[in-house]
Amino acid sequence: MGRFIYVFTAALGLLVVVACGATPGITTTKKQLPNAPSYTYIDTKGNVYSISSKKLIYEPVSADNTIDGLDDEGRYLELNIELNDYTKMAAECERQLNTTQKELPANYTGYAIPTLTRKDSLETQSIDLSIEAVDELDYVIKPFLNDE
């Protein structure tokens, strides 16, 4: 009789879950956003970060593509990213695109003008970034590169 109660309780629980519209083991989470914009961020050293809803591509300055003899900035990485990670990076990119950027200081010593480009199916928008914007984008994007 004790086993019957356990089996009956388990069956009743499964019936409740299915009746509520949930299907065990099946997820309906979106894996990508249709028409999601892509972003290209160039930092002060000339490293390029390409962000799409599926991938983060890091193209560092290296001995092969150096600017003014810069030191090697790491290795090329192409990372598959989750939609949640893309959303975090895209939100920061959008915030920077919608923020008035300060001009680079007269004593700027970077090797490249930091820029951010947003491209979608309708238009392409590009801005030069301030040092503060570079720091904020680095804070959001660079931790993904350290995971590898």
Side-chain angles (χ1 to χ4, degrees):
M1 182 72 172
R3 274 194 257 176
F4 175 73
I5 291 174
Y6 290 121
V7 171
F8 179 74
T9 304
L12 184 62
L14 182 60
L15 181 63
V16 168
V17 168
V18 173
C20 291
T23 306
I26 296 179
T27 181
T28 58
T29 305
K30 289 183 177 180
K31 294 294 181 188
Q32 67 182 47
L33 296 172
N35 301 321
S38 61
Y39 302 90
T40 302
Y41 160 53
I42 301 173
D43 68 13
T44 57
K45 294 182 179 181
N47 300 312
V48 179
Y49 305 81
S50 301
I51 304 161
S52 70
S53 63
K54 296 179 183 178
K55 292 194 181 289
L56 169 61
I57 299 172
Y58 172 62
E59 298 177 58
V61 171
S62 66
D64 295 335
N65 67 344
T66 189
I67 299 172
D68 296 334
L70 280 178
D71 292 334
D72 191 2
E73 287 292 311
R75 60 187 173 95
Y76 174 91
L77 290 173
E78 188 170 326
L79 308 171
N80 293 324
I81 58 174
E82 299 291 328
L83 183 58
N84 188 40
D85 298 334
Y86 166 78
T87 304
K88 290 175 189 175
M89 290 184 267
E92 183 59 32
C93 289
E94 288 295 329
R95 189 174 79 78
Q96 295 304 331
L97 287 166
N98 293 310
T99 301
T100 303
Q101 300 293 320
K102 296 178 183 174
E103 289 187 27
L104 293 172
N107 62 351
Y108 172 68
T109 59
Y111 292 97
I113 302 295
T115 60
L116 178 62
T117 303
R118 177 188 193 269
K119 185 176 184 179
D120 61 23
S121 59
L122 300 176
E123 67 178 339
T124 300
Q125 177 184 4
S126 187
I127 61 167
D128 291 342
L129 297 169
S130 66
I131 298 300
E132 293 82 8
V134 168
D135 291 341
E136 291 167 0
L137 283 165
D138 285 350
Y139 182 78
V140 172
I141 297 170
K142 285 192 175 183
F144 291 99
L145 302 177
N146 293 335
D147 290 344
E148 289 301 306

